[in-house]
Amino acid sequence: EMDTMREMEMYRKEYVGNVSHELKTPLFSIQGYVETLIDGGVEDLTIRDKYLERIDKSVERLLTIVKDLDMINQYEAGELNLKITNFDINLLIKEIIEMLEYEANQKNASVKLQTSNNQSLVHADKQRIAQVLINLISNAIYYSNREKAQITITTSVLRNKVFIEVKDNGMGIKPEILPRIFERFYRVEASRSRREGGSGLGLAIVKHILEAHNQNIFVESIYLEGAKFSFMLDKAVNIS
Ligand code: ADP
């Protein structure tokens, strides 16, 4: 018992350390730009506009981290009240693909939905599942790392579940770190390579949302070849 307490304390310290590190990076860059502007940079219009834009980006990054932290806290406190309805997961996936089109174009990535049913009704919290899909698909786009990035989202209807898979042909994940990627703030590479828009909490949030639905998230990957994330949702029961 003493061991678990010590372990929890270590984990807590590591967590707080990670949070402050994540916040420090954008804060220091904001500080640097503001100081340069104060020291006369504001007179030069090109510098002024460029730095203001960078400050704006860093502020946005801070907001993303704080919002994700907030979400994680809610999930961990068990304050997650699901709003369960029946909806078409294929339609939701199509909407999210459209929403992420700009990011995908920038990475030259093609994102496609593959399904044998034109409608796949699930029984779940639509907004939270949208969050799951956004996190998985934007990771797939970001970590695509090749010229012909292909991201395929597959849905298949089983007896009483719908199976959803997000597959990419990107950089993949080393087998020894696969079990750790769902931890809060776990980073594979040095902090420099952390995704600009990412908070390091994306997959932790995915895991929480699916656990609240009594489902697991699965991952398979071949390093340097790609990654595949999958989960199931309850199929909507027909009331006809
Ligand atoms: P972030 O992307 O902000 O770092 P996440 O929790 O979304 O945080 O992901 C954790 C880590 O898992 C990432 O830093 C990345 O190393 C790895 N990862 C996630 N998705 C993929 C993917 N599709 N391909 C390769 N690596 C991935």
Side-chain angles (χ1 to χ4, degrees):
E1 218 173 88
M2 204 54 219
D3 273 0
T4 20
M5 273 182 60
R6 208 166 288 150
E7 224 168 76
M8 274 172 66
E9 179 57 14
M10 248 173 62
Y11 186 67
R12 193 191 62 82
K13 278 192 181 145
E14 192 184 305
Y15 179 53
V16 174
N18 284 338
V19 173
S20 33
H21 176 88
E22 293 293 328
L23 294 176
K24 256 194 269 172
T25 317
L27 277 173
F28 279 143
S29 75
I30 292 169
Q31 189 183 40
Y33 294 130
V34 169
E35 276 171 7
T36 316
L37 289 175
I38 290 173
D39 291 342
V42 77
E43 322 272 323
D44 182 331
L45 290 190
T46 6
I47 289 189
R48 191 196 67 181
D49 290 352
K50 195 163 83 186
Y51 281 18
L52 284 177
E53 237 165 70
R54 290 184 188 171
I55 289 168
D56 193 44
K57 258 206 172 148
S58 294
V59 170
E60 202 151 292
R61 185 163 159 58
L62 278 176
L63 278 175
T64 308
I65 297 170
V66 173
K67 271 194 226 151
D68 281 359
L69 270 173
D70 213 40
M71 221 190 281
I72 281 272
N73 269 345
Q74 273 180 344
Y75 292 153
E76 292 184 356
E79 285 164 13
L80 184 62
N81 293 318
L82 296 181
K83 287 197 201 80
I84 304 282
T85 59
N86 292 346
F87 63 92
D88 177 13
I89 189 87
N90 291 349
L91 184 61
L92 182 65
I93 292 168
K94 284 180 206 152
E95 285 168 6
I96 289 168
I97 292 176
E98 262 174 40
M99 202 183 98
L100 295 173
E101 195 175 70
Y102 177 77
E103 280 186 49
N105 285 344
Q106 278 200 320
K107 280 278 195 168
N108 245 326
S110 109
V111 188
K112 286 204 180 78
L113 168 67
Q114 193 169 54
T115 180
S116 45
N117 308 66
N118 57 44
Q119 220 191 27
S120 305
L121 289 180
V122 296
H123 188 65
D125 185 321
K126 187 175 177 185
Q127 223 179 318
R128 312 278 183 184
I129 296 304
Q131 183 76 57
V132 166
L133 290 164
I134 290 168
N135 291 3
L136 293 179
I137 299 170
S138 57
N139 274 351
I141 294 170
Y142 180 76
Y143 297 107
S144 61
N145 196 32
R146 63 166 71 204
E147 247 162 64
K148 284 224 166 65
Q150 298 229 329
I151 294 137
T152 313
I153 302 117
T154 311
T155 67
S156 14
V157 178
L158 311 175
R159 210 168 61 90
N160 49 17
K161 302 265 183 225
V162 175
F163 177 78
I164 300 123
E165 179 185 86
V166 178
K167 186 175 150 204
D168 68 63
N169 62 347
M171 63 205 278
I173 303 158
K174 286 185 182 147
E176 64 268 25
I177 63 144
L178 263 184
R180 299 206 62 188
I181 57 169
F182 295 100
E183 288 174 26
R184 300 169 297 191
F185 294 123
Y186 183 74
R187 68 187 70 230
V188 173
E189 315 285 340
S191 60
R192 208 153 28 89
S193 71
R194 160 65 40 81
R195 173 152 71 102
E196 237 182 63
S199 64
L201 295 168
L203 289 179
I205 290 173
V206 164
K207 192 164 184 249
H208 273 297
I209 293 175
L210 291 174
E211 273 173 4
H213 284 82
N214 294 318
Q215 301 298 331
N216 291 313
I217 173 86
F218 302 97
V219 59
E220 275 172 56
S221 176
I222 299 177
Y223 186 51
L224 300 177
E225 280 189 21
K228 201 160 81 178
F229 290 84
S230 59
F231 60 96
M232 298 213 221
L233 291 174
D234 285 335
K235 192 162 118 181
V237 193
N238 259 335
I239 330 159
S240 53

